């Protein structure tokens, strides 16, 4: 662990808090975390983390927030619909440069240029470009889709209700990675003192087809789950009729379209390389969440 000051911008989010946990666990001496709502991180402040206010929409807040940081992890914001993300990220990059940050790390997505099926891929392309053009040293973490997504978006709860895993991904495969493994990799990258700029693919250990995902779910819960292949339009409609929230269904449809196009299938050993231990596989992740999955399905 280097003695540099590390900063987690977005430290209050689910990934951000896991990164803070990992940094604390590794004994990082100087940790800064930023959020628009510092009270969210009171528990971390009491553990010695320097919690600061930062709003990526308001560049004036960022000069103080980023002061004295050596390595800054910019967690992409969750503001997917307002069209503000590129500017938010550019504000952070400019402020990092002004504050004398030595290296910026950023949570991007797999194959951002090719992933045109994902409406916000262009935001990652633009952010990566702004980072490269900033002249700062950088570590880009191209984070695969979270293993949590099929649960949080409602796909797995719907599959458990109906016994059917709806998919338009055809033969496409997806290399889901758990948020926890992303956090481990991000914390390790943040705390390392590498001298070169690098881009890592942060993926799970295997890329799986819809049939394999459904089979994993079926083995985990001990019930049959059949895949039904449909087109994108049918997928969107039938997801909603099987209980997926209308505002979340497009995320599942565009994920399947991008999976079908082959943009989510690459796997890497970056989690192992950065942390020394391999990422968890999808079925182990499901087994860890079995009680919750079955409880949700009972409602
Ligand atoms: N790879 C995937 O499958 C996947 C899935 C979901 C999300 N993501 C991306 O990964 C990121 C982290 O995931 P997560 O699950 O931890 O998300 P999350 O829990 O929703 O956290 C989002 C973070 O963004 C911060 N934020 C939003 N707007 C901001 C602003 N204007 N200024 C400063 N901070 C702002 C929030 O901080 P405050 O509200 O405290 O200010 C919060 O810390 C997401 O934001 C999203 O870009 C990736």
């Amino acid at each position: 662990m280097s003695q540099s000051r590390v900063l987690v911008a977005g430290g209050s989010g689910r990934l951000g808090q896991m990164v803070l946990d990992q940094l604390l666990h590794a004994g990082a001496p100087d940790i800064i975390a930023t959020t628009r709502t510092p009270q969210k991180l009171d528990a971390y402040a009491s553990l010695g983390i320097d919690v600061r206010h930062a709003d990526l929409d308001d560049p004036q807040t960022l000069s103080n927030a980023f002061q004295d940081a050596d390595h800054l992890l910019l967690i992409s914001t969750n503001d997917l619909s307002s069209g503000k993300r590129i500017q938010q990220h550019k504000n952070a990059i400019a402020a990092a440069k002004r504050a004398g940050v030595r290296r910026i790390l950023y949570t991007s997505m797999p194959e951002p240029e090719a992933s045109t099926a994902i409406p916000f891929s262009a935001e990652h392309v633009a952010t990566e470009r702004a980072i490269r053009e900033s002249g700062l040293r950088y570590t880009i973490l191209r984070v695969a889709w979270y293993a949590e997504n099929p649960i949080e978006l409602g796909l797995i709860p719907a599959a458990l209700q109906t016994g059917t895993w709806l998919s338009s991904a055809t033969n496409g495969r997806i290399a889901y990675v758990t948020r926890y493994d992303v956090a481990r990799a991000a914390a390790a990258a943040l705390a390392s003192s590498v001298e070169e700029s690098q881009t890592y693919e942060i993926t799970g250990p295997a890329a799986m087809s819809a049939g394999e995902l459904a089979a994993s779910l079926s083995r985990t819960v001990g019930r049959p789950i059949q895949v039904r292949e449909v087109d994108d339009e049918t997928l969107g409609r039938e997801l909603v009729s099987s209980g997926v929230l209308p505002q979340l269904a497009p995320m599942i449809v565009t994920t399947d379209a991008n999976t079908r196009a082959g943009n989510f299938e690459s796997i890497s050993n970056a989690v192992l390389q950065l942390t020394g231990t391999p990422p968890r596989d999808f079925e182990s992740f499901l087994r860890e969440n079995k009680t919750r999955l079955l409880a949700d399905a009972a409602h």
Side-chain angles (χ1 to χ4, degrees):
M1 180 78 54
S2 76
Q3 293 301 301
S4 306
R5 288 201 106 186
V6 297
L7 186 151
V8 181
S12 53
R14 288 164 293 184
L15 177 64
Q17 294 197 26
M18 287 183 182
V19 173
L20 296 178
D21 292 338
Q22 291 297 316
L23 291 168
L24 287 168
H25 182 69
D30 266 319
I31 308 169
I32 305 165
T34 66
T35 164
R36 287 169 297 181
T37 316
Q39 307 89 279
K40 281 187 192 169
L41 290 175
D42 279 350
Y44 288 90
S46 67
L47 293 172
I49 290 184
D50 181 355
V51 176
R52 300 177 180 174
H53 173 258
D55 181 349
L56 299 189
D57 287 316
D58 181 357
Q60 288 192 335
T61 64
L62 303 180
S63 304
N64 284 341
F66 292 175
Q67 207 174 7
D68 303 326
D70 296 305
H71 303 266
L72 184 150
L73 171 61
L74 171 60
I75 295 181
S76 50
T77 72
N78 55 3
D79 202 350
L80 297 184
S81 54
S82 68
K84 289 186 189 163
R85 269 216 305 185
I86 296 176
Q87 194 55 50
Q88 290 172 340
H89 296 164
K90 284 185 172 174
N91 289 344
I93 297 159
K97 200 167 173 174
R98 282 197 307 276
V101 165
R102 289 196 276 134
R103 180 172 57 121
I104 190 158
L105 298 88
Y106 174 65
T107 55
S108 185
M109 65 170 286
E111 307 282 357
E113 290 87 0
S115 293
T116 49
I118 302 295
F120 50 81
S121 59
E123 299 171 357
H124 288 298
V125 172
T127 305
E128 285 196 9
R129 186 178 305 128
I131 290 172
R132 288 194 195 92
E133 289 174 356
S134 72
L136 291 174
R137 189 148 51 95
Y138 63 80
T139 304
I140 289 171
L141 304 167
R142 289 185 165 176
V143 176
W145 259 211
Y146 296 156
E148 285 83 349
N149 288 354
I151 301 175
E152 292 170 1
L153 295 174
L155 177 64
I156 285 182
L160 291 172
Q161 289 291 343
T162 61
T164 302
W165 184 296
L166 292 164
S167 169
S168 65
T170 61
N171 296 323
R173 307 174 91 81
I174 183 162
Y176 282 124
V177 64
T178 65
R179 232 189 228 105
Y180 177 72
D181 285 320
V182 177
R184 291 197 307 117
L190 184 56
S192 84
S193 51
V194 287
E195 289 302 326
E196 293 106 43
S197 291
Q198 273 164 318
T199 300
Y200 292 100
E201 313 285 333
I202 305 298
T203 76
M208 298 169 76
S209 65
E212 290 164 338
L213 295 166
S216 279
L217 179 61
S218 179
R219 280 191 295 273
T220 301
V221 297
R223 316 182 189 162
I225 307 283
Q226 308 294 339
V227 173
R228 187 154 75 83
E229 271 297 334
V230 289
D231 60 27
D232 286 343
E233 197 189 326
T234 311
L235 178 62
R237 198 175 51 245
E238 296 211 5
L239 283 169
V240 173
S241 42
S242 60
V244 172
L245 294 174
Q247 65 272 30
L248 298 183
M251 186 67 88
I252 300 172
V253 175
T254 55
T255 293
D256 274 17
N258 207 44
T259 303
R260 188 171 67 232
N263 295 318
F264 281 146
E265 71 188 13
S266 78
I267 52 172
S268 88
N269 67 356
V271 173
L272 174 63
Q273 195 187 336
L274 285 163
T275 67
T277 49
R280 270 176 297 183
D281 63 86
F282 187 71
E283 194 161 328
S284 311
F285 164 77
L286 290 179
R287 276 200 304 272
E288 279 160 28
N289 286 280
K290 179 177 172 178
T291 309
R292 172 183 157 200
L293 291 175
L294 290 173
D296 287 353
H299 291 114

